């Protein structure tokens, strides 16, 4: 069996150790020769890399790990690039969330003005990775889950139309795991779904067991009463903010009783309540910095200090095994059915063919083949048109360095009440993002 070489771009990510440990669990199905870590923050990556090296030495000594900040070294002779960069790191996520909140607007990582600001930073970061990959390993595929995935996907569609880049999100997977749990199933792989929408902006229209029986009535009943809450034991529910988000799906679902929604639609349907429940001094970025980031870096430092990972509290990110499913689909032509972020091109018949939509695809060695969604209802279509408008305007604003288009994008976001507020937020975001954004004209 061929052994693959992989680059993890954003090697210093909080998700890297969990993903590497997950990859170790799947070596029988997806053999790996070398993992290369690439980051532009050498010190941050070193802590993660040194700890991962000890983990590998103890659990898969034949595998090689190379950490580098040199693109040539990191991207040469690889089969896959798994990309999860956060341009501006948590310091900038904090500002993405706090600046809109100062103006009474939703402050969120990927939705509303915060997501737009993050998008303007991520576009050049991800394009640079694509270019490195094509220069040093022209046959490789990029599996990208760097956020904001909707804007990044539109940017790669438009600016790198022939590149082998697959954009994917873990949110539907995470929700499907909760749905499976509530149905009393072992895994989400026991059912098949139909879903359509944009990234962080979509709806399940059908969920069926492998015999073809609809599970939808039971799923709808649960979500309409409890949202995606389970018995409280899931990892997400243990975090207060995620717990609220999962429960809030109940109110979101009421808008369309025949489907069940992506949780992040709450930011568009209930922005006022979201702001009321936010603490402008302590947002999700603060929670993650005090929680996940601190935990991962402390654990890695412990491994380094002790020279062993035998008693580490770091755990396998089983949830991230969808990345292996995707890599296997490409490598072995498995034709797995997966939700992917792809150019619509007629799959949703009554929708912009150039929009990047999140829909079921059959993934094989040539990439994703889209399934036909058909016609979508007026409510969803209108919401999606508005949101696609935002995402396309951001990419145009980036390309043209246009203040006007970015102002239009923020004004068009359903999270923003009017153009004056949009302008005030934009002016603050420009100030905060000077080191990252093109200078807008
Ligand atoms: P993190 O800040 O811990 O890690 C990101 C790393 O990227 C950092 O080490 C940083 O130095 C590095 N980086 C930033 N800009 C770079 C560049 N231009 N080139 C190379 N490296 C660069 O962040 P995290 O919380 O671990 O998240 C990582 C990314 O994964 C984020 O974009 C996050 O939104 C995304 N994510 C996506 C999904 C999804 O469903 N699509 C799920 C989880 C996380
Ligand atoms: C979900 C989304 C991701 C997002 C993450 C944020 O998994 O699909 O796109 O990055 O939530 O989680 P966090 O714990 O960083 O707030
Ligand atoms: Mn996502």
């Amino acid at each position: 069996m061929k052994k693959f070489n992989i680059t993890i771009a954003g090697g210093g990510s909080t998700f890297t150790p969990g993903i590497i440990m997950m990859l170790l669990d799947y070596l029988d199905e997806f053999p790996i020769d070398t993992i290369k870590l690439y980051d532009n923050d050498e010190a941050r990556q070193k802590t993660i890399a040194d700890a991962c090296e000890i983990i590998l030495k103890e659990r898969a000594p034949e595998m090689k790990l190379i950490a580098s900040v040199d693109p040539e070294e990191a991207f040469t002779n690889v089969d896959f690039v798994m990309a999860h960069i956060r341009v501006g790191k948590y310091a900038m996520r904090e500002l993405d969330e706090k600046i809109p909140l100062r103006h009474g607007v939703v402050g969120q990582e990927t939705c509303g003005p915060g997501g737009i600001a993050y998008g303007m930073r991520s576009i050049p970061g991800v394009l640079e990775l694509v270019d490195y990959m094509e220069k040093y390993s022209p046959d490789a595929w990029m599996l990208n889950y760097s956020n904001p995935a909707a804007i990044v996907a539109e940017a790669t569609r438009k600016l790198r139309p022939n590149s082998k880049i697959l954009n994917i999100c873990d949110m539907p997977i995470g929700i499907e795991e909760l749905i499976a749990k509530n149905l009393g199933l072992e895994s989400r792989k026991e059912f098949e779904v139909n879903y359509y929408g944009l990234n962080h902006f979509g709806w399940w229209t059908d969920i069926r067991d492998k015999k073809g029986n609809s599970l939808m009535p039971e799923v709808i009943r649960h979500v309409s009463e409890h949202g995606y809450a389970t018995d409280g034991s899931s990892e997400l529910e243990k975090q207060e903010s995620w717990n609220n988000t999962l429960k809030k799906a109940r109110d979101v679902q009421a808008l369309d009783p025949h489907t069940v929604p992506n949780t992040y639609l709450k930011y568009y349907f209930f922005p006022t309540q979201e702001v009321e429940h936010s603490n402008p001094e302590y947002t999700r970025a603060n929670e993650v910095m005090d929680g996940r980031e601190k935990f991962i870096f402390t654990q890695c430092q412990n491994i380094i200090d002790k020279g062993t990972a035998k008693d580490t509290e770091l755990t396998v990110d089983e949830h991230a095994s969808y990345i292996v499913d995707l890599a296997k689909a490409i490598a072995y032509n498995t034709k797995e059915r997966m939700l992917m972020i792809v150019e619509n091109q007629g799959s949703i018949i009554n929708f912009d063919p150039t929009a990047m939509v999140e829909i079921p695809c059959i993934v094989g060695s040539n990439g994703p083949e889209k399934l036909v969604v058909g016609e979508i209802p007026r409510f969803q279509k209108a919401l999606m048109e508005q949101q696609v408008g935002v995402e396309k305007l951001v990419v145009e604003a980036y390309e043209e360095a246009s203040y006007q288009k970015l102002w239009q994008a923020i004004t068009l976001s359903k999270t923003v009440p009017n153009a004056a507020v949009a302008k005030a937020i934009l002016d603050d975001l420009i100030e905060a993002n000077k080191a990252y954004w093109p200078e807008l004209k």
Side-chain angles (χ1 to χ4, degrees), residues 21 50 71 82 113 129 134 150 187 296-297:
M21 287 161 73
D50 289 354
M82 300 176 175
L129 299 180
E134 295 191 334
S187 142
I296 297 290
F297 280 85

Side-chain angles (χ1 to χ4, degrees), residues 232-246:
S233 65
S234 67
E235 276 312 308
L236 280 182
E237 284 167 291
K238 289 180 194 155
Q239 304 173 52
E240 183 60 21
S241 51
W242 271 109
N243 193 33
N244 293 335
T245 297
L246 296 175

Side-chain angles (χ1 to χ4, degrees), residues 114-277:
I116 292 171
Y118 186 13
M120 290 287 284
R121 295 196 303 276
S122 287
I123 294 170
V126 172
L127 293 181
E128 186 178 71
L129 299 180
V130 175
D131 294 345
Y132 290 148
M133 178 179 87
E134 295 191 334
K135 180 166 179 197
Y136 298 116
S137 286
D139 296 329
W141 284 84
M142 180 175 289
L143 317 182
N144 179 58
Y145 31 98
S146 309
N147 267 317
I151 291 169
V152 168
E154 169 62 10
T156 55
R157 179 196 73 82
K158 199 163 180 214
L159 304 173
R160 297 293 182 276
N162 302 313
S163 297
K164 293 204 283 186
I165 169 160
L166 301 165
N167 292 295
I168 192 163
C169 168
D170 70 349
M171 179 88 92
I173 290 156
I175 295 175
E176 285 171 18
E177 282 166 356
L178 298 172
I179 291 175
K181 191 170 179 192
N182 284 328
L183 288 169
L185 303 175
E186 277 292 308
S187 142
R188 64 181 190 91
K189 295 203 173 174
E190 289 180 42
F191 54 67
E192 199 163 87
V193 308
N194 273 331
Y195 178 100
Y196 72 87
L198 312 172
N199 179 236
H200 291 176
F201 202 101
W203 295 264
W204 281 266
T205 55
D206 197 25
I207 300 180
R208 274 172 201 271
D209 69 18
K210 290 289 161 88
K211 291 188 181 138
N213 304 309
S214 176
L215 304 172
M216 231 18 210
E218 178 59 17
V219 174
I220 288 176
R221 191 192 58 72
H222 184 93
V223 179
S224 66
E225 287 172 20
H226 310 289
Y228 294 109
T230 68
D231 57 10
S233 65
S234 67
E235 276 312 308
L236 280 182
E237 284 167 291
K238 289 180 194 155
Q239 304 173 52
E240 183 60 21
S241 51
W242 271 109
N243 193 33
N244 293 335
T245 297
L246 296 175
K247 285 193 181 137
K248 187 72 182 168
R250 188 186 88 135
D251 297 342
V252 176
Q253 197 270 340
L255 269 296
D256 180 11
H258 305 296
T259 62
V260 293
N262 190 297
T263 52
Y264 277 14
L265 285 163
K266 73 169 186 171
Y267 295 113
Y268 304 91
F269 293 171
F270 301 103
T272 318
Q273 289 91 326
E274 276 311 309
V275 172
E276 280 164 8
H277 290 121

Side-chain angles (χ1 to χ4, degrees), residues 304-357:
I304 297 165
D305 294 344
K306 292 182 182 158
T308 174
K310 291 217 165 77
D311 54 0
T312 183
E313 288 171 45
L314 292 179
T315 52
V316 174
D317 190 356
E318 175 54 34
H319 170 85
S321 59
Y322 72 92
I323 298 166
V324 172
D325 292 336
L326 183 57
K328 277 169 59 189
I330 297 288
Y332 306 132
N333 200 30
T334 62
K335 305 277 176 171
E336 176 142 347
R337 184 181 167 124
M338 303 183 85
L339 298 181
M340 304 287 301
I341 306 165
V342 289
E343 189 171 30
N344 181 30
Q345 291 173 337
S347 180
I348 302 175
I349 294 167
N350 53 343
F351 199 62
D352 183 344
T354 72
M356 292 303 278
V357 293

Side-chain angles (χ1 to χ4, degrees), residues 9-16 38-42 44-45 83-90 93 109-110 118 121-122 124-126 128-129 132 144-149 168-172 199-200 288 292-293 297 319 322 341:
S13 157
T14 57
F15 294 108
T16 298
Y38 170 75
D39 206 287
N40 63 0
D41 180 336
E42 191 163 15
R44 184 182 174 93
Q45 173 164 271
H84 56 207
I85 60 169
R86 182 186 291 287
V87 179
K89 292 174 277 190
Y90 282 107
R93 175 175 178 175
E109 179 194 20
T110 61
Y118 186 13
R121 295 196 303 276
S122 287
V126 172
E128 186 178 71
L129 299 180
Y132 290 148
N144 179 58
Y145 31 98
S146 309
N147 267 317
I168 192 163
C169 168
D170 70 349
M171 179 88 92
N199 179 236
H200 291 176
V288 177
R292 183 171 70 233
E293 188 180 35
F297 280 85
H319 170 85
Y322 72 92
I341 306 165

Side-chain angles (χ1 to χ4, degrees), residues 14 288-300:
T14 57
V288 177
M289 285 187 273
D290 293 342
R292 183 171 70 233
E293 188 180 35
K294 194 179 257 171
F295 172 76
I296 297 290
F297 280 85
T298 308
Q299 288 295 320
C300 285

